[in-house]
Amino acid sequence: MHRRTVIAAPFFLALAGCGIPIGKSSEPRLEVSRDYNLRGFAFVAQDGLTVSERENYYPTGDIVWRGDPRGPRVEQIGTMFTEAANRNKAALNGGQPVNVAVTLVRFHGVTNRTRYSIGGVYNVIFDITIMDAASGAVIEPTRRVLGNLDAPGGEKAVQLEEAGQTQKVRVTDFLTRLLSEQLI
């Protein structure tokens, strides 16, 4: 029994690394009155990010996404961020017109291998900057945002999928909440 535990320990320690490194958290928001009216949203990925399509339990790329068919992963992730921003427009109808810029730093979904076995964590890291829509002046300087969303595995993942809670639905809903927390 102890031998199995020792053999499995490195595997589970590697999976634990999919989350935010210990001691890391989002940078604090400025204490300002937010009465934002979201006018523009821009999404880009940081230069040099690598995309992994490997089906390891823990791939080494900066971008891991399986919620869409194989294709332009950065564009697929940008579509989810843009949808999340658009969903927030109704709540962001205040007096200060703003543009929001998001720069993707890391987007770790889970591989199919992980999803259909033990599950994991969607780990999203991005930089956000909030600017005056008219002048372009920075209202809130760039800060780093880190977010984690549980990714159930095995039968629970299948049940969520069958109930319409696909990876794309769950992650887009999560990004909507994450942006809302930063802007409201």
Side-chain angles (χ1 to χ4, degrees), residues 20-21 36 38 44 46 48 91 98 107 116 124-125 127-128 140 149 152 160 166 173:
I20 295 173
Y36 294 151
L38 183 58
V44 297
Q46 189 176 54
V98 296
F107 190 98
Y116 292 116
V124 181
I125 303 173
D127 293 335
I128 188 169
E140 292 189 48
L149 173 67
L160 285 169
T166 64
D173 289 348

Side-chain angles (χ1 to χ4, degrees), residues 22-177:
I22 294 173
K24 298 284 184 179
S25 63
S26 294
E27 292 178 11
R29 295 185 327 157
L30 287 177
E31 292 298 324
V32 297
S33 174
R34 289 181 177 79
D35 186 31
Y36 294 151
N37 184 322
L38 183 58
R39 295 288 177 89
F41 180 80
F43 172 88
V44 297
Q46 189 176 54
D47 288 339
L49 296 183
T50 58
V51 176
S52 175
E53 296 292 345
R54 296 185 67 170
E55 286 298 335
N56 299 339
Y57 282 105
Y58 185 80
T60 57
D62 301 304
I63 296 174
V64 177
W65 175 239
R66 302 296 187 275
D68 284 301
R70 264 187 201 236
R73 296 301 190 195
V74 171
E75 185 178 310
Q76 293 167 347
I77 294 165
T79 298
M80 288 188 292
F81 266 97
T82 301
E83 173 64 21
N86 287 336
R87 289 179 181 182
N88 277 298
K89 280 189 175 180
L92 293 167
N93 60 1
Q96 172 69 57
V98 296
N99 292 332
V100 174
V102 164
T103 302
L104 184 69
V105 175
R106 177 182 170 142
F107 190 98
H108 252 220
V110 292
T111 64
N112 291 324
R113 180 181 227 181
T114 300
R115 185 164 182 258
Y116 292 116
S117 58
I118 61 172
V121 175
Y122 299 100
N123 176 233
V124 181
I125 303 173
F126 61 92
D127 293 335
I128 188 169
T129 309
I130 301 163
M131 299 151 293
D132 180 272
S135 69
V138 173
I139 297 171
E140 292 189 48
T142 302
R143 68 178 178 274
R144 181 135 307 163
V145 178
L146 295 86
N148 284 332
L149 173 67
D150 287 339
E155 184 61 32
K156 180 66 175 170
V158 172
Q159 290 170 353
L160 285 169
E161 188 88 21
E162 289 172 350
Q165 289 294 306
T166 64
Q167 290 186 78
K168 190 167 190 167
V169 167
R170 291 189 74 237
V171 171
T172 304
D173 289 348
F174 171 68
L175 294 175
T176 301
R177 288 189 308 273

Side-chain angles (χ1 to χ4, degrees), residues 5-17:
T5 303
V6 171
I7 291 171
F11 170 74
F12 289 108
L13 286 173
L15 285 176

